[in-house]
Amino acid sequence: MARRPLPRILSTGSAQIARSRELARTATDSATDVLQPLITITRGLRRLASAGRRRWAETPKDRRGPLLFLVASVILVVTLMPYGPLLAVITLMAAAAWQGRDRTPPAPEGPDESQTQRLQSLYEALVPYFSTAEDPSPLYAHGGDWEEAFPAYEFDGSGRISHLLIRYPAYFPDGEAEPRARIEQLLTAKSGRGREYLLTWDEEGNELTVAVLAPLPTDICAQRFVTAPGETVLGFTDPSLVQRTLPLGYGEEQRDVPPVVWRTGFRSTEPHLLVTGQPGSGTSTLLRSIALQALQYGDVLIVEGGGTGEYACLTGRDGVLGVEVGLAGALGALEWAAQETERRLIAANGARQTGRTPPDDTRRPLWILLDRPSAFTHLAEADGHKDPQSLLQVPLRHGRAASVTVVVAEQLDSLDVLSDVVQQHTRARVVLGRASAGQLTAVLGVRPHTTPVDHVPAGRGYARLGAGPVHRVQVPATPDPYDDATSDVHRQAVLDLLPPRTAPVRMEKVDAEMTESLPVPVPVEAAVAE
């Protein structure tokens, strides 16, 4: 049977609807321009009628009779006069047109005195950076005119700059990081501190656009996100940077918020994540959020070096292989993780060679979450044990093929303790809390297009997935439900997401079972080469 084509309304419906809306909008604007005099006169007649009714209501009852007699006499005289009715209609239309005129005060054509002073001050501050003595006709000069340098500007209700378009000379080195950083720091100081600015450099047009960013929502708590398997929500960002939104619940209300989605699995280009920040910035909160999302489709192994019990709520839960807080437990857990990665690689390779589907246990995602591994490094050096980070070499290098994902959280002042393998294979990065421009550039690889602020809420920072753009991010509130300082709403939200509690899984038993099921040990490089 021949396949019938779709109706034209279904194949080109969206284009026709958009075109129809544009035509309707154009016709409405044209009709409004043509009928503007009639609209003005109608509005004036309505206002005159309202004034007449109001005057009649205010007139005392004993005076309404003489008033009616006076009005009737005037109408009779006008009717008997030559051209009286015509003159009366003309007078009435003129009065209606005058009463129906637009009385809204006109918008000011230019900035007021305080705004002009602010723009002139900003212009004078940019002169040393955007001018040279060899320029025959400088765009920036002391005592010059700022109007040509700032063709577009907007101010908010407090009188501070909210949007500004800056033109600069072509010889300014806008391709270098240090000159751009000096300009961005100056604009932040002169435009008003305490706000975040989006700075967009147009190198081809020699223009810089400064826009004030709205603060990210901080009232988003942990909940089930509408995502596919292999997708993890790191946080939420600006709507102009992503093309996707997620429906979030706020009690009985819902709203759509743009997320920062990290994709893992064998098709991912950034299979592992590094989270860093100052103490109290929300790194443990992000790891708890990731663990709750990962438990929907896989297993989670948690190794905590801080020893603060941030993940005690996950102990013994279904899908949680273990929560290790000591050096011996961390070494055993990470050694088992390395052997499990090897076992998965060997099983998947054998299945591919025989043309079979890999076993289900090799395709179930395994998440390894490490919080502050530098603490174990110092303990291992003091006790003469192996550094636990050395056991991450196999999961980091071959984890994508074995459905193993590694997430490492470390403080900014301890990043130099991380091994080269960890820093090389964690190309997805998140920086939370207050950080300088140099620290952001060192971790993310590039300088963010937004200016950091001095005071940020917990869970607030920047995220970059591989070689993609840098996003502002706000981590959903996922506190420790056993913490006394946690609010009841957030505590209940986390408890609702926890899997049911089962018998605690001992890593020694798991290690023994996996060792018995493993074939003769084969180096990973040889297995991959086969």
Side-chain angles (χ1 to χ4, degrees), residues 275 283-284 287-288 291 299-312 314-315 320-338 366-377 379 386-392 395 405-410 418 507:
V275 182
T283 55
S284 299
L287 259 65
R288 272 191 298 270
D299 300 325
V300 175
L301 173 62
I302 301 175
V303 178
E304 181 188 359
T308 57
E310 294 283 345
Y311 309 95
L314 296 171
T315 304
V320 180
L321 301 181
V323 179
E324 302 295 340
V325 295
L327 177 60
L331 289 173
L334 295 180
E335 186 175 359
W336 171 83
L366 172 62
W367 291 73
I368 305 174
L369 308 183
L370 288 88
D371 194 353
R372 293 199 63 190
S374 60
F376 291 124
T377 300
L379 292 176
K386 182 189 301 184
D387 186 2
Q389 295 187 53
S390 61
L391 300 173
L392 294 175
T405 302
V406 179
V407 180
V408 179
E410 189 55 77
L418 294 179
M507 294 309 305

Side-chain angles (χ1 to χ4, degrees), residues 224 290-300 314 317-320 364 367 497-499:
R224 290 297 181 199
I290 293 175
L292 293 177
Q293 298 179 62
L295 287 173
Q296 299 182 70
Y297 309 105
D299 300 325
V300 175
L314 296 171
R317 300 286 178 175
D318 187 14
V320 180
R364 181 174 174 82
W367 291 73
L497 297 178
L498 289 174

Side-chain angles (χ1 to χ4, degrees), residues 437-502:
Q439 291 174 330
L440 292 174
T441 305
V443 177
L444 301 176
V446 295
R447 183 182 177 89
H449 294 289
T450 61
T451 57
V453 294
D454 296 334
H455 303 284
V456 294
R460 175 70 177 78
Y462 296 92
R464 188 188 186 203
L465 305 179
V470 179
H471 299 278
R472 289 199 308 164
V473 65
Q474 177 65 48
V475 177
T478 314
D480 182 10
Y482 298 159
D483 190 358
D484 296 337
T486 304
S487 64
D488 294 337
V489 176
H490 291 168
R491 178 183 294 107
Q492 190 61 41
V494 175
L495 292 177
D496 292 341
L497 297 178
L498 289 174
R501 189 179 295 277
T502 57

Side-chain angles (χ1 to χ4, degrees), residues 126 130 140 149-151 164-168 187 206-208 210:
L126 291 174
F130 286 156
Y140 289 83
F150 304 151
L164 182 64
L165 178 61
I166 301 175
R167 292 177 179 173
Y168 57 88
L187 292 175
N206 298 323
E207 292 181 347
L208 171 60
V210 183

Side-chain angles (χ1 to χ4, degrees), residues 385-405:
H385 294 288
K386 182 189 301 184
D387 186 2
Q389 295 187 53
S390 61
L391 300 173
L392 294 175
Q393 183 174 1
V394 174
L396 286 172
R397 289 186 174 179
H398 308 286
R400 181 174 60 178
S403 298
V404 178
T405 302

